[in-house]
Amino acid sequence: MSRFKSLINKADWLHHVSTWQASGMTQAAYCREHKLNATTFNGWITRGRKVTPAARLTTVPIVIQPDAPVASALSLFVLQLGTGWN
């Protein structure tokens, strides 16, 4: 089976995906109306949902201010996450 390179670039596909999401149409109906390959379109939707672990990380600044002078470099600290205490 041969593969054909898409004539639509990544930015155009992403635009189609966001336009489809706002349209309220089914994927099939949107693809028919815009003469898009439904399988390729679904692939772009799937790729858009996959996020690399690095992209999900958020840097949060913290400031540690001890109440009293620290006697040891191995002090205990508690980190509270949105899902509970860890």
Side-chain angles (χ1 to χ4, degrees):
M1 177 187 286
S2 65
R3 293 189 156 223
F4 296 97
K5 183 165 176 75
S6 175
L7 299 177
I8 300 176
N9 64 31
K10 182 177 180 179
D12 290 338
W13 274 108
L14 294 175
H15 175 74
H16 274 296
V17 170
S18 63
T19 303
W20 160 71
Q21 289 172 328
S23 74
M25 299 173 76
T26 65
Q27 288 180 32
Y30 184 87
C31 289
R32 275 193 304 275
E33 184 174 308
H34 294 276
K35 297 181 179 25
L36 300 172
N37 180 293
T39 302
T40 304
F41 186 73
N42 194 349
W44 276 101
I45 293 168
T46 302
R47 280 186 210 99
R49 289 182 184 142
K50 291 181 182 174
V51 178
T52 61
R56 286 185 284 185
L57 297 178
T58 302
T59 303
V60 179
I62 61 167
V63 177
I64 300 173
Q65 298 175 339
D67 293 336
V70 179
S72 168
L74 300 175
S75 298
L76 175 67
F77 69 94
V78 177
L79 177 63
Q80 180 182 8
L81 301 175
T83 57
W85 293 92
N86 290 325

